[in-house]
Amino acid sequence: MKAFLGTGLLGSNFVKAMLRRGDQVQVWNRTLSKAKALETDGALAFEEVTEAVRGAAVIHLTLKDDAAVNEVLEAASVGFEFGAIIIDHTTTSVEGAVERTAAWKAKGFTYLHAPVFMGPPNALEGSGNMLVSGDQEVIARVEGELSKMTGKLINFGQEEGKAAGIKLIGNLFLISMTAGLSDALALAKALDIDSADISSLFASWNPGAGAPARLDKLRTGDFSKPSWELDMARKDAGLMMSAASAKGVKLTVLPAVAAEMDAWIAKGHGSDDWSVIAKDNC
């Protein structure tokens, strides 16, 4: 028997996939109707979280944040089976993941943080990426369980909380990328270029494909052999901001990047590769 706490878009599809694999799943959600909706798929829904976890050897969670995880687990613990394994897919702080691992171990339970880069369709299909780190014996025990849920299980080693940190870093990149796309669409609007043309551009030229190589270049910390000089990149940024300003279009990300470029030019790095703006973080 499994339990799943938190049946929003992601959690509900995880549950549906489990049921399709023949698992018995007991579910709970703060909004009872979301849990009850899964009964048509074969789940058992409970109004009380203590009842939802009763008899479950494995308890999965997809909740909002650290506070929600702590509150729900504490409330549910009255119904825990001795030695139950708690697998938390919530995006949380590093500190929270580390503290919960130790706290639940002290109480006789196994807690593993396993955040995901998966949307609801991935949860239903068993695709996407799931991250783990920490006690390798624990991970080995649940690897089969987790591998069924995701296309790829990525193990970052012994360090408790590392998976939580990697998830936050990945989410930061996703936020930054989407904000950059927002600026690209804003500039297209200012230049009277249809967004469909931008889509066609990225379908042929995928800048994201170069991310691993660009990251490796940043990690070397050598900006003395420019492929795009900072002075030239700043000139281009100025053209972009001027075009947007002329049409009253707001850019969100680029002005902050341009300000950082100006600071590095003032320090004498105008002829370096423009990525020198990341030097202090490498």
Side-chain angles (χ1 to χ4, degrees):
M1 178 67 72
K2 297 177 183 178
F4 210 107
L5 312 181
T7 57
L9 294 175
L10 188 66
S12 62
N13 274 2
F14 270 136
V15 171
K16 289 176 183 178
M18 289 176 177
L19 293 167
R20 290 177 183 180
R21 292 193 295 268
D23 294 333
Q24 292 182 297
V25 189
Q26 300 177 164
V27 297
W28 172 89
N29 195 76
R30 287 184 192 275
T31 304
L32 179 60
S33 60
K34 291 184 178 181
K36 295 287 285 183
L38 290 166
E39 289 188 328
T40 58
D41 295 282
L44 297 172
F46 291 87
E47 183 173 2
E48 299 297 329
V49 69
T50 53
E51 295 304 312
V53 300
R54 204 173 298 280
V58 182
I59 302 160
H60 292 268
L61 299 87
T62 54
L63 300 172
K64 180 183 178 182
D65 53 23
D66 286 285
V69 172
N70 289 337
E71 178 187 348
V72 170
L73 285 179
E74 188 60 35
S77 63
V78 175
F80 284 172
E81 293 294 303
F82 179 77
I85 299 173
I86 304 161
I87 304 176
D88 185 7
H89 306 290
T90 309
T91 299
T92 71
S93 67
V94 173
E95 294 82 5
V98 171
E99 289 168 3
R100 278 185 292 277
T101 302
W104 287 105
K105 183 177 182 179
K107 296 176 182 180
F109 303 99
T110 298
Y111 171 94
L112 178 68
H113 191 229
V116 300
F117 290 118
M118 298 169 68
N122 299 115
L124 189 60
E125 297 163 1
S127 59
N129 296 274
M130 185 177 291
L131 319 178
V132 290
S133 69
D135 189 325
Q136 295 299 294
E137 291 185 6
V138 169
I139 292 171
R141 285 169 57 197
V142 299
E143 186 174 4
E145 166 86 5
L146 299 182
S147 294
K148 295 176 186 177
M149 299 174 67
T150 183
K152 188 172 185 179
L153 181 64
I154 309 175
N155 187 342
F156 285 99
Q158 289 277 355
E159 185 178 341
E160 302 285 0
K162 192 171 186 178
I166 296 290
K167 175 63 194 298
L168 292 177
I169 292 165
N171 277 7
L172 182 149
F173 185 80
L174 292 176
I175 290 169
S176 302
M177 180 177 66
T178 302
L181 287 173
S182 177
D183 268 12
L185 291 172
L187 183 57
K189 181 179 180 181
L191 296 173
D192 296 319
I193 294 174
D194 195 292
S195 61
D197 292 320
I198 308 305
S199 182
S200 296
L201 170 66
F202 288 154
S204 299
W205 169 65
N206 178 12
R214 193 172 295 273
L215 177 60
D216 286 343
K217 181 177 181 178
L218 292 178
R219 291 175 61 228
T220 68
D222 182 5
F223 306 98
S224 62
K225 302 178 181 65
S227 58
W228 192 14
E229 290 184 354
L230 178 57
D231 280 334
M232 296 302 292
R234 179 61 180 88
K235 179 268 294 182
D236 289 356
L239 292 173
M240 299 168 201
M241 290 190 293
S242 293
S245 178
K247 292 294 182 71
V249 173
K250 179 183 177 182
L251 298 177
T252 302
V253 176
L254 188 60
V257 176
E260 191 67 14
M261 289 176 169
D262 289 338
W264 282 91
I265 289 171
K267 290 189 283 188
H269 293 275
S271 61
D272 287 339
D273 190 87
W274 85 278
S275 57
V276 71
I277 66 171
K279 185 175 182 179
D280 289 344
N281 299 320
C282 297

